[in-house]
Amino acid sequence: MRKLIFLFSFILMIGCQPKDQQPIEILLDKNWQFTSQNSTSWQPATVPGNVFTDLLAIKKIPDPFIKTNEEKVQWVSDSTWVYQTNFTLTDQIIAKKNIVLEFEGLDTYAKIYINGKYQLDTDNAFRKYSISLKDIPHSKENKLKIIFYPTKSHEESAKKNLVYQLPEGNRIFTRKAQFQYGWDWGPKLNTAGIWKPIKLIAWNDYKLNDVYIKQKSLSTSKAVLEVVLDASITDKKNKQFNYTIYVNNQLQKTYTNTAAKRLTFEIENATLWWPHNIGTPYLYDIRLEVTSENTLVASKTLKKGLRTIELVTEKDSIGESFYFNVNGVPVYAKGANYIPQNSFQNKVTAAHYEKLLSDAVDANMNMLRVWGGGIYENDIFYEKCDEKGILVWQDFMFACAMYPGDIEYLTNVAIEAEEQVKRLRNYASIALWCGNNENSEGWHRWGWQDGRNENEKEEIWSNYLKVFDSILPNTVAKYSQTAYWESSPKYGRGNKKYEFEGDAHDWWVWHDAAPFEHFEKRVPRFMSEFGFQAFPSIEVLQHINQSEKINLKTDAMKMHQKHHRGFQLIDEYMKRDYKVPTNAADYAYVSQLVQAKGITMGIEAHRRAKPYNMGTLYWQLNDCWPAISWSSIDYFGNWKALHYKAKKSFENVLLSTIKNKGSYDTYIVNDSLADLEGKLKLKIIDFYGKEIWSNSKDITVKANSSQKVFTIPTSYSKNKNTVFIVEFSNSTSLYYFAKPKNLSFPKSDIIKSITKTKKGFTIELISNTLQKDVFLHTYTKGKFSDNYFDLLPNQKVQIEFTTTATELTDLEVKSLNSIY
């Protein structure tokens, strides 16, 4: 009897479950072929992908990332390419009322054919396109063909329609990743192909196009949220559906028989999302189910962080502030500029996103700027930023140019902007939409107005305003709750206001060869770009040359240095602060020390100036190919010295000393939201460990502040071969009274011992003298917990090397002491 009751209950329960009649989605990623327009030889293709990687897979081109091969593959971008596949419509799909092919990203100028019949043209790699199969002849078996045309033919045609020339070259006419036309850190590899998925979608009466969780009000006691629906409803008779909202798998609210497109629900005692360095980036699981007559017709699941983010730009006695309030708290932004991780986007995997964004968090970064010459990143990027508590400054994809203003172009941009803002607006990490990178600065400072008459200048600037002062801000305001900023920077460095208003790109260091000390003298309100180059890891250098020998003067190395004065500037700055090694590997090592020294000087100067300055984002986090560049993480994912040293300079509690007139002043910057109390300990020792001076005192450092806590006279630095050590709250800083080239580092051994652990190896180091910038290197794949660090005399240091390897036999240890 019990079995019968249980069986009846089970059948009843199953019968009460709604039938699943959600839209059918099928990826068209199989059986693709490609060929050039002038060939009849079809070859296998990978979708999503691009023509370069498809040609590379069948060995029709050399690897453009090594040697001087980049110049050997330029013909690819100038050719016409054809892709095709067959797809089947099952009886189940054919029976649906709606069948659509959705193209999430075609790069860029393409014609689409189905069963030999032309359907539509595409002209924007950042937009979606769709074709209704119900509106055209189709059968069970169908052929899809896409022809991709060279961008230059369309660009040359567009250029002829203008009576004047716009800066910067043909790329301005094409809505695709601008960096693919070549940049001063990346190759010219102008891709074509199906770079995002193609989907076959079939449904009957209801399809959810978009679900936006809009915050109506937010406090820790209650969050009032609104579900904003965009749905395709084709049932002419029935416009009413049932909506059920779940939060963390708990039923939150139900709406029955409603045609409403906005549904409100509340979360009591809401948990807020915070940047990871000052709180927990908490995410709610929210699920919406749509039913009709006991049939599930659609559903959407997403993660949602509840927070408020406000860009504060207020006039003050100095100029105008620029900072982000998160949940009512001023947050100091620490991080870097992010570029695409590969010139070929299909080569970027989920593991790449996980590693790079984890590396950002490990280095205590809480903000990344997605630069405007790249791409609107894949959803996984923003999902992981939400998860890891990284704020995102999101540029629209316009960089370093002036763009057209014809109606077709503006319409194209408006559609692109709407699609991208809607796609990204649910992500808690999105802190800002910015119109462009350096377009305004270029127009006002780079000579772009020279030789133009007033009517021409007025038209070009008017077209700029149509996009960046009208279309984009209006789109952001209409479809999101995110702040908008017209252009980064607000003022170029040639304008005196750059130091006192808005965000700044300070390239006096590097481009104008100003000394690193410039960063300490000219501090802006928010530094959104500044940088310096260095050579990458030994592994990347070997990969570029395809040789185990380290040679920095090959033609291959020259091709992978995209700045015309790059090698000269690295050498010039190195001579200022360091002795210049003659050995190539040592030279690459010292170049990384130069980069790290300059950028951390900037970071610490910015942070000491808090709250006048409220953000420091260096250029750049990563590389898109093997290169000599401004990155702190090279193409292989290896941390340069900058990333290790930025990790220390970005810690929530920073101890920083600077030389002023007649004194050395020590500051403590506290980014945490609590006061810190403790003993401040200070001492000066020589390079053999002998203590020359010491002091200590109890102090309190206010929450979210920068305070000067101690001053010593310059007379304390008479002996240059000493180090000033400051300790507070489990943090330590070292300050040297002279440049490295003017210090006499003792010649002594570093004693090492290696112990196997569950996660890799523990490396223990000790020396009887100070060792400057100790560098650990191995070809064994793994990660050091620290590197490029100073080893104090007679103090043991333990470094964890995380790896899956069972042996570590090739560990190399060197320091400035050993090469000076």
Side-chain angles (χ1 to χ4, degrees), residues 756-761 801-804:
K756 185 75 180 74
T757 65
K758 289 182 179 180
K759 294 184 178 180
F761 298 89
F801 182 62
T802 305
T803 180
T804 57

Side-chain angles (χ1 to χ4, degrees), residues 559-776:
M559 180 159 283
H560 289 251
Q561 164 60 276
K562 292 301 183 180
H563 192 275
H564 66 287
R565 293 168 57 224
F567 292 134
Q568 171 197 334
L569 287 167
I570 291 172
D571 201 64
E572 181 178 331
Y573 277 85
M574 189 181 296
K575 288 174 182 175
R576 294 177 187 177
D577 288 342
Y578 292 82
K579 295 175 183 178
V580 180
T582 55
N583 174 275
D586 290 342
Y587 188 94
Y589 155 69
V590 175
S591 81
Q592 292 195 22
L593 300 182
V594 177
Q595 179 193 38
K597 182 179 190 294
I599 299 309
T600 55
M601 282 177 67
I603 291 171
E604 295 193 16
H606 304 153
R607 293 191 65 192
R608 286 194 302 267
K610 179 181 181 176
Y612 169 80
N613 171 282
M614 284 297 288
T616 179
L617 310 177
Y618 64 77
W619 184 271
Q620 66 207 62
L621 177 65
N622 58 301
D623 281 325
C624 67
W625 81 318
I628 301 94
S629 81
W630 292 269
S631 71
S632 63
I633 300 176
D634 69 26
Y635 176 69
F636 282 176
N638 296 311
W639 289 24
K640 296 182 185 178
L642 170 56
H643 209 77
Y644 283 102
K645 290 180 181 285
K647 175 178 181 176
K648 296 181 176 69
S649 294
F650 281 149
E651 286 179 347
N652 262 10
V653 179
L654 170 69
L655 316 182
S656 182
T657 299
I658 183 173
K659 182 180 180 181
N660 288 312
K661 291 182 180 179
S663 67
Y664 294 95
D665 298 331
T666 296
Y667 288 76
I668 296 182
V669 183
N670 176 17
D671 283 348
S672 72
L673 304 185
D675 293 353
L676 297 175
E677 296 181 352
K679 188 172 289 295
L680 176 69
K681 300 177 182 178
L682 313 99
K683 64 180 177 180
I684 298 174
I685 64 170
D686 67 17
F687 292 167
Y688 295 90
K690 180 182 176 181
E691 185 175 293
I692 297 170
W693 170 89
S694 67
N695 203 334
S696 66
K697 68 174 185 176
D698 293 322
I699 62 171
T700 299
V701 182
K702 296 295 184 183
N704 214 3
S705 72
S706 172
Q707 293 177 214
K708 184 164 67 173
V709 295
F710 208 88
T711 296
I712 62 172
T714 52
S715 58
Y716 283 32
S717 65
K718 288 181 180 179
N719 181 356
K720 300 300 182 186
N721 293 313
T722 56
V723 58
F724 177 39
I725 304 171
V726 182
E727 297 176 280
F728 177 77
S729 186
N730 298 316
S731 295
T732 302
S733 73
L734 307 180
Y735 182 85
Y736 296 86
F737 298 115
K739 294 181 177 182
K741 72 176 183 180
N742 296 324
L743 297 175
S744 299
F745 298 117
K747 294 287 186 181
S748 61
D749 294 331
I750 299 175
I751 308 301
K752 67 181 179 184
S753 63
I754 302 173
T755 305
K756 185 75 180 74
T757 65
K758 289 182 179 180
K759 294 184 178 180
F761 298 89
T762 295
I763 303 160
E764 189 173 86
L765 305 174
I766 192 169
S767 174
N768 58 14
T769 69
L770 180 138
Q771 297 283 341
K772 188 81 174 75
D773 295 309
V774 176
F775 172 50
L776 307 178

Side-chain angles (χ1 to χ4, degrees), residues 372-597:
I375 62 172
Y376 303 98
E377 263 297 346
N378 291 342
D379 286 339
I380 187 175
F381 173 86
Y382 306 98
E383 290 166 1
K384 289 193 174 293
C385 286
D386 276 10
E387 170 192 317
K388 297 177 184 297
I390 304 172
L391 296 166
V392 175
W393 169 316
Q394 177 67 52
D395 280 2
F396 283 98
M397 293 301 117
F398 300 89
C400 304
M402 300 302 283
Y403 289 85
D406 57 272
I407 189 63
E408 291 81 9
Y409 186 86
L410 297 179
T411 300
N412 200 358
V413 166
I415 296 170
E416 168 193 324
E418 180 179 337
E419 287 186 7
Q420 296 298 338
V421 170
K422 284 182 174 180
R423 179 173 72 92
L424 302 183
R425 60 186 173 179
N426 277 319
Y427 293 110
S429 52
I430 300 289
L432 182 71
W433 277 100
C434 180
N436 65 74
N437 175 78
E438 297 182 346
N439 295 11
S440 179
E441 178 185 4
W443 180 250
H444 291 103
R445 209 186 75 85
W446 295 353
W448 290 352
Q449 299 184 52
D450 295 350
R452 301 182 189 273
N453 61 50
E454 290 304 313
N455 288 338
E456 191 174 305
K457 288 191 285 188
E458 183 179 343
E459 180 177 315
I460 293 171
W461 186 247
S462 174
N463 289 337
Y464 170 95
L465 293 176
K466 287 175 185 176
V467 175
F468 304 110
D469 194 45
S470 181
I471 292 173
L472 298 185
N474 291 343
T475 300
V476 172
K478 182 177 181 180
Y479 296 112
S480 79
Q481 296 176 296
T482 305
Y484 174 82
W485 189 246
E486 179 193 302
S487 183
S488 181
K490 181 174 184 178
Y491 298 109
R493 65 186 185 277
N495 188 321
K496 292 181 180 179
K497 290 183 178 180
Y498 96 95
E499 195 176 339
F500 308 108
E501 295 184 28
D503 71 311
H505 294 189
D506 193 330
W507 286 103
W508 290 108
V509 171
W510 184 264
H511 288 305
D512 294 286
F516 288 142
E517 288 74 16
H518 163 86
F519 288 138
E520 298 176 329
K521 298 173 182 176
R522 305 289 295 275
V523 177
R525 308 305 293 265
F526 191 107
M527 186 76 90
S528 49
E529 268 194 35
F530 68 112
F532 194 87
Q533 280 196 1
F535 284 86
S537 64
I538 296 299
E539 291 85 347
V540 172
L541 295 174
Q542 291 171 329
H543 183 72
I544 290 171
N545 285 329
Q546 291 293 286
S547 170
E548 291 186 5
K549 182 180 179 181
I550 307 302
N551 187 343
L552 307 182
K553 299 184 182 298
T554 64
D555 288 341
M557 208 59 64
K558 293 174 185 176
M559 180 159 283
H560 289 251
Q561 164 60 276
K562 292 301 183 180
H563 192 275
H564 66 287
R565 293 168 57 224
F567 292 134
Q568 171 197 334
L569 287 167
I570 291 172
D571 201 64
E572 181 178 331
Y573 277 85
M574 189 181 296
K575 288 174 182 175
R576 294 177 187 177
D577 288 342
Y578 292 82
K579 295 175 183 178
V580 180
T582 55
N583 174 275
D586 290 342
Y587 188 94
Y589 155 69
V590 175
S591 81
Q592 292 195 22
L593 300 182
V594 177
Q595 179 193 38
K597 182 179 190 294

Side-chain angles (χ1 to χ4, degrees), residues 357-377:
L357 294 175
S358 292
D359 286 346
V361 171
D362 287 349
N364 299 306
M365 297 181 181
N366 64 5
M367 176 176 275
L368 295 176
R369 174 177 175 239
V370 179
W371 171 74
I375 62 172
Y376 303 98
E377 263 297 346

